[in-house]
Amino acid sequence: MSVAPALLVQNLSVEFRTRSGVVKALESVSFTVAKGETLAIVGESGSGKSVTAYAVMGILDPAGHVTGGTAMLGGLDLLSASNAAMSEVRGREIAMIFQNPRAALNPIRSVGRQIADVLIRHGNVPRKEAPERAVEMLRAVGIPDPSRRAKAYPFEMSGGMCQRVMIAIAIAAKPSMLIADEPTTGLDVTTQAVIMDLISELSSGTGMATIFITHDLALAAQRADRIAVMHAGHVIECAATRELFERPRHPYTAELIAATPDRAANLDELASIPGALPDLRRTDLPPCRYSERCPRKMTECDQPLPRSPAVAAHMVACWNPLR
Amino acid sequence: MTVLLDVAELSKRFPVGRAVGPIERLRRRLRGGGPVHLPHVHAVDDVSFVIGKGETVGLVGESGCGKSTLVRAITRLIDPTEGSIKLGMRELSLVPSRRFARDADRARIQMVFQDAGESINPRFTSFDAIADPLRRLKKLRGKALRAKVEQAAQQCGLPAELLGRFPHQLSGGQRARVGIARAVAVEPDLLVLDEPTAALDVSVQVVILQLLQRLKEQLGISYLFVSHDLSVVRLLCDRVIVMYLGKIVEVGPAREVFEHPLHPYTQALVAAVPSSDISGVERLRLLGEPMSPIDPDPNVCRFYGRCPRGVDQCKGAMPVLRRFGNREAACHFTGEKEGL
Ligand SMILES: Nc1ncnc2c1ncn2[C@@H]1O[C@H](COP(=O)(O)OP(=O)(O)OP(=O)(O)O)[C@@H](O)[C@H]1O
Ligand SMILES: [Mg+2]
């Protein structure tokens, strides 16, 4: 890749210490995102998409521990940076939007004030100018009648409107990187399309790097430049979007594509994936966490997983890949 | 096609704002004003459609368009303001909702909810969850009850050893099977499914959809399938009903509607469906918000203001559903360029 990565994550491992055992939530996760690029992270529920985002943002649950790896943003390793350095980075350099915007917003502060707060704290905007700039931000994210809406509280707005406000807050300080964790789950498809357009425009217009987390493969296909597929805490494949769909190499990726209903002509054409994610608390997890579900398993599969470097054009973690 | 459910001119309006007490009402009447008019949300407005025996009908539209209210009226959880709901020969809209719970026809309409984990009593084992409607509605006990529960579980691919488990001990897919088994156990004629796979991963979703397809073929049940996911509706449903702000704007065979939508709202809806077929990304976008559902002008098309077409005629006359072959659409301009 010719463009310098905005974010380079290498061998990120995360564990949660719980009463019922240690959850090995992420193991040696590696990927990169370039300036102006959108990387989608896809996978089934529990595959580790959110934990990856939280680890990079430094907002893991107290039970969670980064047990290895680096996440380089510019010259800074986000995983070993001090709390003070990280709270500077969050908001100014990396911003995150969440699935449930209403819960992430402050319910007792008007949305205009919330945007103004970020502008003052992270955006070097003088206090006096902030309210006016907040109204401009609302206009920029497509909210009609923004000066009136700035005075509204989150409960007075629809889900789609709240998500736009979240986006306005996230981009207020012009971050170089945006992490969007299921930003449109629960919204109508028509609203989803508008919100996703907005995110795409922001990243192409400002050169912002975007990590877009979703369980919807069709949406990832439509919106991402590259896709990383996660399964049980591993990135099992990562490639350019078209390449991934046309030539999936990991058997799990191929199955996921075959299970996605948007292109099928009838229900029987859809493939189901046998088995479920393994319990990540197990002490005898095999090196390939898909091997117990995999129809292509061979004896080699008990060896440590082959991993191509994070910067490889088409990365696959499998001993017996397709084609 | 034999008609199973016949819904005609159904409306449901909810009063909004402060209710006026009896004294205030009397005072206003003495002052000589007419009857007090409270503002109302027109959640479902003059909706008519049929579901045939063994037919699967999809119901789509954005959140707040009235899908859930319509479903709650049909399943008789709420009373409609106007209109009729006929199941076979029986007029159900005349039975008050609180009496319907004990009605002889209660078993004929069953519901499956979005997250079976939340709609099933957490203290019920799978067995109890499936047995509960059989006890209440079919008065089954003892051996007959056990046999029926086991049969329903088997039909839905739920292994017998899971019948003793509680919801939190089941996977999402297994809970969905319990929710479906519970509904089909009483042998309903109509199954209303409200986003049954929305909380499931794709790999599990496929299995549940295939199960629903098989059950419908085996048992001849009719489905009303409410969903946000048009890709799924296209695969499972024979016909689809599209709603916008309380009104039906389009009806037709599912495949035809999605391939060639007639109404401008359906066109925008279909264009917004993400597809991994990235060859042509359509850019038809619905901007703005829907108009207020509180006492909307009966002479203005509900889609006016958001519709890319929107001319004077649209705010002078409400378009009605018109027939085009085997399809229907409620837009003044449908058919003009199709030459239908
Ligand atoms: N606070 C926690 N304590 C213990 N385990 C946790 C915690 N948070 C996450 N995990 C575990 O980490 C793994 C990855 O979870 P994560 O939330 O990242 O999945 P996800 O891919 O985001 O799923 P979804 O699509 O459901 O959002 C799961 O096994 C989960 O149970
Ligand atoms: Mg998540």
Side-chain angles (χ1 to χ4, degrees):
Chain A
M1 196 158 298
S2 54
V3 194
L7 177 74
L8 174 62
V9 174
Q10 279 179 298
N11 302 317
L12 168 61
S13 298
V14 170
E15 292 180 357
F16 290 93
R17 311 214 170 117
T18 70
R19 236 174 289 161
S20 59
V22 176
V23 180
K24 290 169 278 300
L26 298 184
E27 188 184 68
S28 226
V29 161
S30 301
F31 60 86
T32 137
V33 198
K35 225 170 153 281
E37 183 185 53
T38 298
L39 171 78
I41 301 184
V42 304
E44 296 183 85
S45 183
S47 57
K49 307 183 294 293
S50 297
V51 170
T52 303
Y54 294 166
V56 168
M57 288 292 282
I59 52 170
L60 275 178
D61 183 274
H65 300 272
V66 174
T67 55
T70 56
M72 300 302 293
L73 181 85
L76 181 71
D77 178 13
L78 302 176
L79 302 181
S80 59
S82 67
N83 286 342
M86 278 312 286
S87 61
E88 264 303 290
V89 165
R90 278 192 299 268
R92 192 188 293 266
E93 286 297 324
I94 316 187
M96 184 158 173
I97 51 183
F98 299 87
Q99 174 174 347
N100 187 341
R102 219 182 295 270
L105 289 168
N106 183 340
I108 56 166
R109 217 166 162 74
S110 75
V111 298
R113 289 282 293 278
Q114 296 190 50
I115 299 171
D117 290 346
V118 181
L119 287 168
I120 295 163
R121 192 150 23 94
H122 295 297
N124 300 327
V125 172
R127 193 164 286 276
K128 275 214 307 262
E129 287 171 27
E132 204 175 308
R133 285 281 299 280
V135 172
E136 278 168 36
M137 301 282 332
L138 287 174
R139 183 174 293 122
V141 295
I143 290 188
D145 199 357
S147 37
R148 190 173 60 84
R149 293 292 187 146
K151 301 191 192 79
Y153 291 86
F155 73 87
E156 298 173 291
M157 302 181 124
S158 67
M161 284 286 177
C162 284
Q163 195 54 286
R164 285 180 213 220
V165 171
M166 272 302 294
I167 293 172
I169 291 175
I171 60 167
K174 301 204 174 66
S176 53
M177 161 122 234
L178 176 72
I179 303 182
D181 188 358
E182 308 261 7
T184 58
T185 306
L187 299 179
D188 290 309
V189 282
T190 46
T191 314
Q192 166 171 283
V194 176
I195 297 284
M196 289 309 300
D197 282 353
L198 181 62
I199 294 176
S200 313
E201 274 159 31
L202 290 169
S203 52
S204 59
T206 63
M208 184 174 70
T210 308
I211 297 180
F212 167 48
I213 295 176
T214 179
H215 63 274
D216 186 341
L217 212 58
L219 188 60
Q222 203 174 60
R223 300 294 178 164
D225 302 307
R226 279 188 312 130
I227 299 182
V229 184
M230 290 193 73
H231 175 272
H234 290 163
V235 172
I236 52 105
E237 184 160 10
C238 183
T241 301
R242 189 174 285 269
E243 164 83 4
L244 189 90
F245 273 86
E246 283 171 3
R247 279 177 293 279
R249 301 210 58 206
H250 198 286
Y252 178 68
T253 309
E255 302 246 20
L256 268 187
I257 293 173
T260 302
D262 68 293
R263 276 198 279 190
N266 59 57
L267 270 180
D268 304 327
E269 232 177 62
L270 289 182
S272 57
I273 308 176
L277 296 187
D279 185 339
L280 299 182
R281 289 168 305 190
R282 272 169 51 183
T283 48
D284 62 340
L285 277 173
C288 170
R289 294 179 176 181
Y290 187 63
S291 60
E292 289 164 355
R293 305 169 82 176
C294 184
R296 296 173 61 84
K297 187 178 182 326
M298 315 182 302
T299 43
E300 284 91 326
C301 297
D302 295 326
Q303 309 286 317
L305 271 185
R307 288 179 203 272
S308 21
V311 289
H314 192 151
M315 177 288 224
V316 59
C318 177
W319 282 111
N320 186 17
L322 298 160
R323 190 191 48 94
Chain B
M1 179 181 78
T2 328
V3 172
L4 173 70
L5 183 80
D6 187 348
V7 172
E9 292 161 20
L10 192 75
S11 294
K12 178 67 187 179
R13 296 185 283 274
F14 297 102
V16 284
R18 210 158 45 89
V20 179
I23 296 176
E24 175 64 19
R25 215 153 35 209
L26 187 65
R27 188 183 298 148
R28 290 192 193 178
R29 205 157 61 219
L30 294 177
R31 253 192 265 128
V36 186
H37 179 77
L38 273 180
H40 279 77
V41 168
H42 293 230
V44 172
D45 194 356
D46 193 16
V47 156
S48 305
F49 65 94
V50 297
I51 298 179
K53 238 178 127 28
E55 194 185 27
T56 296
V57 175
L59 180 61
V60 302
E62 45 195 352
S63 66
C65 75
K67 300 190 299 282
S68 303
T69 307
L70 179 58
V71 160
R72 281 155 54 84
I74 293 169
T75 50
R76 303 301 296 105
L77 294 168
I78 57 171
D79 292 323
T81 312
E82 279 157 19
S84 111
I85 303 167
K86 275 214 309 244
L87 184 68
M89 301 307 290
R90 177 99 190 275
E91 177 56 61
L92 294 184
S93 62
L94 301 174
V95 189
S97 56
R98 61 195 145 66
R99 274 235 314 276
F100 192 68
R102 275 166 284 118
D103 191 275
D105 278 339
R106 180 71 192 83
R108 296 179 63 196
I109 304 181
Q110 288 295 304
M111 266 203 90
V112 176
F113 296 94
Q114 171 161 355
D115 185 357
E118 278 167 24
S119 58
I120 294 173
N121 187 331
R123 284 192 298 261
F124 275 13
T125 61
S126 310
F127 183 93
D128 292 331
I130 302 171
D132 177 53
L134 286 166
R135 286 199 185 99
R136 279 188 294 111
L137 304 172
K138 295 277 171 175
K139 313 285 177 227
L140 289 186
R141 299 288 183 275
K143 265 213 192 93
L145 178 67
R146 170 156 291 276
K148 193 72 213 172
V149 170
E150 283 170 358
Q151 185 200 346
Q154 197 234 332
Q155 272 169 343
C156 296
L158 191 70
E161 62 266 24
L162 296 184
L163 284 174
R165 294 220 193 152
F166 293 95
H168 71 271
Q169 299 170 313
L170 299 172
S171 72
Q174 289 164 343
R175 282 202 297 262
R177 288 180 199 271
V178 173
I180 296 167
R182 170 186 161 87
V184 298
V186 295
E187 298 173 4
D189 296 322
L190 176 67
L191 203 56
V192 179
L193 301 126
D194 193 356
E195 303 264 6
T197 62
L200 302 176
D201 276 313
V202 275
S203 59
V204 187
Q205 167 175 285
V206 175
V207 186
I208 297 301
L209 292 173
Q210 286 168 347
L211 167 68
L212 288 170
Q213 172 103 323
R214 207 188 65 228
L215 284 175
K216 146 180 128 169
E217 283 158 11
Q218 279 172 3
L219 309 174
I221 313 179
S222 307
Y223 291 164
L224 179 61
F225 186 83
V226 183
S227 181
H228 270 103
D229 192 337
L230 302 199
S231 310
V232 167
V233 170
R234 178 178 63 91
L235 291 178
L236 190 70
C237 299
D238 305 317
R239 271 191 316 133
V240 61
I241 296 173
V242 185
M243 277 183 83
Y244 187 83
L245 262 184
K247 287 208 168 282
I248 293 181
V249 295
E250 180 157 1
V251 186
R255 268 152 220 269
E256 289 175 42
V257 170
F258 294 140
E259 253 158 50
H260 179 60
L262 294 176
H263 194 280
Y265 172 65
T266 320
Q267 287 162 0
L269 198 61
V270 170
V273 176
S275 163
S276 55
D277 181 6
I278 41 186
S279 44
V281 179
E282 288 204 51
R283 293 280 308 186
L284 181 60
R285 289 289 179 262
L286 267 194
L287 299 173
E289 304 258 295
M291 64 169 69
S292 164
I294 299 171
D295 293 334
D297 189 328
N299 296 317
V300 179
C301 173
R302 296 280 158 88
F303 196 42
Y304 183 74
R306 264 184 126 188
C307 180
R309 178 103 187 216
V311 297
D312 280 350
Q313 190 184 350
C314 309
K315 54 179 176 165
M318 172 73 79
V320 293
L321 266 185
R322 288 181 297 145
R323 192 163 264 294
F324 303 91
N326 56 353
R327 308 181 52 180
E328 286 170 88
C331 170
H332 294 307
F333 303 104
T334 300
E336 67 176 17
K337 67 169 177 290
E338 289 85 0
L340 290 167

